[in-house]
Amino acid sequence: MTTWWRPDAYYGASEWRATWGGEGGGVLVNQAPHQLDLWQWICGMPTSLVAKAAFGFRRDIVVEDEVTVLADYGDGVTGVFVTATHDPAGTDRLELLGDRGKIVVEGSKTATLTRFAADERELSARLSVAEGFKLAGGGDTEGFYTTEQIETESAWGSQHAGVLANFASAVLHGTELLAPGADGINGVRLANAVHLSAWLGQEVALDFDEAAYLRELNARIREEGLFPERPDPGA
């Protein structure tokens, strides 16, 4: 998700913006939390991740304005997350590949759904080398997969109404919540894990030591010199 382009004036508009002490980070805590929430809501939480974050890469700020994450879910399952605030054209793309199909969503409006005729490994076992190259080259896909395209209107605005209606129904009628408020901590933990991985230059488990994260954050707040350090809730 790189549709978060922000000009220099945006960062200079408020003292707290794009600071460690005032905001707690950059694109991960200001713009991209929407995608972090959606990512964990659809896919669940990874077990660990390794991240490369660029701090003040294309803007005169100390926090991250470009991030690339490789997440590990175990059993060979991985995920990649990319975001930035310096792409004026921007890309909004969600891609999920599974054993029996694939879905690609562009612009949060157009979904291309591909259904495999069988588990991908079963399809692989059926083909000769020549047939495999023909299929990979965009040849006849009949009997292997079907493709469907789904168009929707922009969800901006309507999703807020939908969540509020669901909350009211949960209070009044006991309806199951689509997105319980307590799940919000998952997106925060993803952002914190990305920061910690980038700061330390190593893979970080999602059950990382919160005290270690706080030490690293406070070190940057001290260096920044604009806001007080964050207190240790366990002290």
Side-chain angles (χ1 to χ4, degrees):
M1 175 61 75
T2 60
T3 59
W4 298 123
W5 186 82
R6 296 292 186 270
D8 290 317
Y10 170 83
Y11 294 107
S14 302
E15 185 182 37
W16 55 266
R17 201 182 297 279
T19 61
W20 293 117
E23 193 165 20
V27 62
L28 290 174
V29 302
N30 188 304
Q31 292 84 30
H34 307 289
Q35 280 69 52
L36 294 180
D37 283 337
L38 186 64
W39 178 17
Q40 65 84 24
W41 188 73
I42 294 174
C43 302
M45 291 288 280
T47 57
S48 65
L49 59 80
V50 60
K52 175 66 175 180
F55 303 101
F57 173 49
R58 303 288 289 183
R59 298 291 181 268
D60 186 19
I61 56 178
V62 296
V63 295
E64 79 284 353
D65 53 356
E66 180 180 279
V67 175
T68 301
V69 181
L70 174 61
D72 187 348
Y73 284 83
D75 297 324
V77 179
T78 59
V80 176
F81 177 75
V82 176
T83 191
T85 60
H86 56 77
D87 181 359
T91 298
D92 174 356
R93 179 181 175 92
L94 171 67
E95 182 172 332
L96 297 167
L97 173 65
D99 297 329
R100 295 292 301 267
K102 176 179 181 177
I103 185 167
V104 177
V105 184
E106 294 277 8
S108 297
K109 293 190 293 184
T110 304
T112 301
L113 178 61
T114 301
R115 293 182 175 91
F116 303 158
D119 186 294
E120 184 275 332
R121 287 162 293 191
E122 293 179 32
L123 296 176
S124 173
R126 297 180 191 175
L127 301 181
S128 67
V129 173
E131 290 171 324
F133 278 119
K134 183 179 179 181
L135 181 62
D140 185 9
T141 63
E142 185 176 357
F144 293 99
Y145 63 78
T146 60
T147 300
E148 173 188 3
Q149 194 165 85
I150 304 168
E151 294 281 349
T152 64
E153 295 298 322
S154 173
W156 285 110
S158 63
Q159 77 272 38
H160 298 91
V163 169
L164 287 171
N166 172 243
F167 174 74
S169 184
V171 173
L172 295 172
H173 310 297
T175 303
E176 183 179 359
L177 288 170
L178 291 172
D183 288 352
I185 195 63
N186 292 336
V188 175
R189 195 158 191 86
L190 277 170
N192 290 354
V194 171
H195 280 149
L196 189 58
S197 174
W199 291 338
L200 300 179
Q202 64 188 45
E203 188 170 3
V204 168
L206 266 292
D207 61 351
F208 61 85
D209 182 359
E210 294 179 6
Y213 170 81
L214 185 60
R215 285 195 300 272
E216 293 292 332
L217 176 62
N218 277 332
R220 285 155 181 81
I221 293 174
R222 282 196 304 274
E223 183 177 0
E224 192 174 53
L226 297 174
F227 300 91
E229 294 179 32
R230 303 289 174 86
D232 184 350

